[in-house]
Amino acid sequence: AQSVAQPEDQVNVAEGNPLTVKCTYSVSGNPYLFWYVQYPNRGLQFLLKYITGDNLVKGSYGFEAEFNKSQTSFHLKKPSALVSDSALYFCAVSGPGTNAGKSTFGDGTTLTVKP
Amino acid sequence: DAGITQSPRHKVTETGTPVTLRCHQTENHRYMYWYRQDPGHGLRLIHYSYGVKDTDKGEVSDGYSVSRSKTEDFLLTLESATSSQTSVYFCAISEQGVNYEQYFGPGTRLTVT
């Protein structure tokens, strides 16, 4: 069975500071990893994904994520946070044996960026 | 934004009544999913479809059924609504499956009284 853990329910950072939202995963075989963002009263939006290749993946809105196979982690990062980055962030994983692209989602991390 | 709509967007219903939620896509994607989102539980997969008339259960399928008679429409039915099914329901689509991202609809907020 595949699983995702987002160990922090809440992350608070000051505007202009770097941010990290943590994610660890468990899956059989090579993982496919995703980050999604949910703004208030909206659906989820895709940010970035890791399938294979370079361990540093760049995505939308200046976000990037680093895949670390030995630590089974896929942390989301941004060098300089904006107030508008405040949202709920979900990490998701699927594996090569997963039927129909079923992803397992973490419980989410609320990011608050203060001016 | 991907062309995904959900209807209704809000619904209040009484315990024991059947409810059907509709997801409609204009992207011609093969895969469609229904999730529910509850505080502290993230997103949980209810059912998914990998083609017309091809559906399967997710992790929280009890009390729900689905149908997909056309590529563009995926219906979720609560056979007899219960208060535990009060939630926000999201539909998602994916082009190919396992290594492709999902695109989500705007959600349906369902309240069962």
Side-chain angles (χ1 to χ4, degrees):
Chain A
Q2 57 195 36
S3 65
V4 171
Q6 294 182 241
E8 301 159 316
D9 291 337
Q10 179 97 27
V11 170
N12 298 311
V13 298
E15 189 173 31
N17 283 0
L19 70 87
T20 298
V21 182
K22 296 179 180 178
C23 171
T24 59
Y25 67 90
S26 174
V27 70
S28 296
N30 292 323
Y32 304 123
L33 294 156
F34 306 84
W35 276 103
Y36 295 86
V37 60
Q38 184 179 30
Y39 298 103
N41 300 314
R42 302 277 299 275
L44 280 73
Q45 297 178 31
F46 168 72
L47 271 181
L48 51 79
K49 67 180 178 182
Y50 171 84
I51 303 301
T52 187
D54 195 347
N55 289 343
L56 186 64
V57 178
K58 294 188 183 297
S60 306
Y61 312 122
F63 283 93
E64 56 190 25
E66 186 171 12
F67 171 65
N68 187 315
K69 187 172 183 178
S70 63
Q71 297 186 3
T72 62
S73 67
F74 188 57
H75 300 333
L76 182 69
K77 301 181 179 184
K78 188 174 183 182
S80 179
L82 300 172
V83 172
S84 58
D85 293 330
S86 299
L88 181 58
Y89 290 81
F90 289 97
C91 181
V93 66
S94 59
T98 306
N99 290 335
K102 290 194 299 179
S103 291
T104 299
F105 286 77
D107 289 343
T109 298
T110 299
L111 172 68
T112 301
V113 181
K114 298 183 178 179
Chain B
D1 290 344
I4 311 169
T5 56
Q6 292 184 230
S7 58
R9 294 292 314 279
H10 301 272
K11 187 171 182 66
V12 179
T13 193
E14 294 184 348
T15 298
T17 59
V19 177
T20 295
L21 309 182
R22 179 180 183 241
C23 177
H24 179 77
Q25 61 145 329
T26 58
E27 305 296 323
N28 200 36
H29 284 357
R30 178 181 175 188
Y31 297 93
M32 299 185 76
Y33 312 83
W34 276 109
Y35 293 90
R36 60 179 289 173
Q37 183 179 21
D38 304 289
H41 290 281
L43 282 172
R44 292 181 290 175
L45 182 66
I46 305 171
H47 282 279
Y48 66 99
S49 170
Y50 46 96
V52 174
K53 299 191 187 217
D54 292 323
T55 64
D56 204 351
K57 297 178 180 180
E59 60 181 305
V60 289
S61 59
D62 287 348
Y64 302 94
S65 62
V66 289
S67 65
R68 192 170 177 198
S69 58
K70 298 184 290 185
T71 298
E72 57 266 34
D73 289 326
F74 192 33
L75 304 181
L76 176 70
T77 298
L78 287 65
E79 294 144 9
S80 178
T82 68
S83 58
S84 65
Q85 293 176 312
T86 292
S87 186
V88 180
Y89 291 86
F90 287 101
C91 174
I93 64 174
S94 177
E95 186 174 2
Q96 290 290 344
V98 66
N99 59 343
Y100 279 72
E101 60 273 21
Q102 296 180 20
Y103 294 94
F104 287 79
T108 295
R109 184 174 296 276
L110 176 68
T111 302
V112 183
T113 60

